[in-house]
Amino acid sequence: MKVIFQALVGVMVTAVPALAEQKVFGEAEVAYGQTDLEDLDDTADHLNLGGKAAFVSSAGLGIQLGASYSNLSVKGAGEADIYSYDAHVYGDAGDYKVGAFIARMEIDEVEIYGLGSADLNETVTSYGLEGQVDRGPITYRGYVARADIDGTDNIIYGIGADFDVNQAFEISADYDAMDVSIDGFEEELGVSAFKLSAGYYVPQAPVRLSAAIGRSDIEFDGMDANATSFGMGATYLFGNRADAAREKLFKSVAVPF
């Protein structure tokens, strides 16, 4: 944690300009998706409600806060409610942003069909560094962090990009990965996910419609499991401009899967 904040201080000194435009912007989203669990011959449905907002001072210091609720249900097995929260502090130099974030994911109760509910009380906390660069119609982003899962430290990282095809259409690609060290095993558990999504900004309305397809892989001790996901969503936009050239919010979270 000390290294993270030392790096953040350096970012603020070098990245924040003397004068910048004060900004307030954000978005609220509802999304639905389905995941094909190929190796289990089953499917999972997930509903997500969430929002995030950012404030950038006239000195170029940015703060972003976010929260979301997700319901995950596996057909014939059970379901769980998941709550996530994240906070970001960053320097905004106009065409690039660099900062640090902390995020938390909570799974309180799991309902197992036919057996009832059980208190899981599982939490995942992550903290790390993140950055974003705007180069004309393309915005690049990336992060690296440590995640506390069951008292062990694990590395998560990701990269992504948004391409503004025109004012109405946007195409995004994201790759996220997590390396987990497990006691008693020399080999790390590797989890990775690739997602391709498209967004349509409705003309004359602060609304973005989106659709996505993703692929997840888990590798451990010679075993390999895969899953394919599909999703769609609608987002209400406030502040900033309401088209594909809209300023991007950070996407870094506790566990990006």
Side-chain angles (χ1 to χ4, degrees):
M1 180 68 77
K2 181 178 179 180
V3 174
I4 296 294
F5 285 105
Q6 286 177 337
L8 181 57
V9 171
V11 166
M12 295 308 168
V13 172
T14 59
V16 178
L19 293 174
E21 179 186 1
Q22 181 173 302
K23 297 173 285 187
V24 179
F25 60 99
E27 55 190 51
E29 179 188 43
V30 55
Y32 168 78
Q34 188 173 87
T35 300
D36 180 12
L37 306 171
E38 301 171 8
D39 297 273
L40 299 178
D41 194 24
D42 207 341
T43 59
D45 296 300
H46 34 96
L47 173 67
N48 184 78
L49 304 173
K52 45 192 172 183
F55 168 77
V56 181
S57 72
S58 58
L61 175 63
I63 298 175
Q64 178 183 314
L65 301 175
S68 69
Y69 159 78
S70 299
N71 175 266
L72 175 65
S73 61
V74 179
K75 294 181 179 179
E79 62 180 291
D81 292 328
I82 304 170
Y83 301 88
S84 298
Y85 314 92
D86 57 273
H88 312 249
V89 180
Y90 59 94
D92 186 341
D95 58 351
Y96 70 94
K97 306 173 185 177
V98 184
F101 75 95
I102 183 169
R104 184 179 179 88
M105 183 179 73
E106 300 177 353
I107 307 175
D108 293 328
E109 188 176 85
V110 175
E111 181 179 352
I112 303 174
Y113 299 148
L115 296 177
S117 60
D119 291 328
L120 190 60
N121 293 323
E122 181 66 35
T123 63
V124 176
T125 302
S126 63
Y127 55 91
L129 299 175
E130 59 191 350
Q132 183 174 291
V133 180
D134 186 3
R135 288 291 180 264
I138 303 179
T139 300
Y140 302 95
R141 57 180 173 273
Y143 70 92
V144 60
R146 300 191 72 90
D148 181 4
I149 304 175
D150 288 333
T152 64
D153 285 331
N154 310 279
I155 300 297
I156 59 174
Y157 50 93
I159 57 173
D162 300 319
F163 173 60
D164 301 337
V165 180
N166 52 42
Q167 288 191 339
F169 289 97
E170 168 190 274
I171 297 175
S172 302
D174 291 276
Y175 175 81
D176 300 281
M178 179 169 63
D179 297 327
V180 182
S181 299
I182 301 177
D183 292 340
F185 293 87
E186 293 185 3
E187 184 179 351
E188 290 186 332
L189 169 65
V191 184
S192 62
F194 176 78
K195 182 175 72 172
L196 185 65
S197 57
Y200 171 66
Y201 290 80
V202 180
Q204 309 302 319
V207 176
R208 180 179 66 235
L209 304 177
S210 59
I213 181 173
R215 177 78 172 180
S216 301
D217 296 286
I218 301 177
E219 297 181 357
F220 179 66
D221 198 26
M223 296 181 293
D224 190 5
N226 306 288
T228 302
S229 302
F230 305 90
M232 60 185 65
T235 305
Y236 171 75
L237 314 169
F238 63 89
N240 210 336
R241 38 189 302 175
D243 59 23
R246 178 181 178 83
E247 186 171 344
K248 316 299 180 184
L249 291 154
F250 285 111
K251 295 185 178 182
S252 311
V253 292
V255 177
F257 307 106

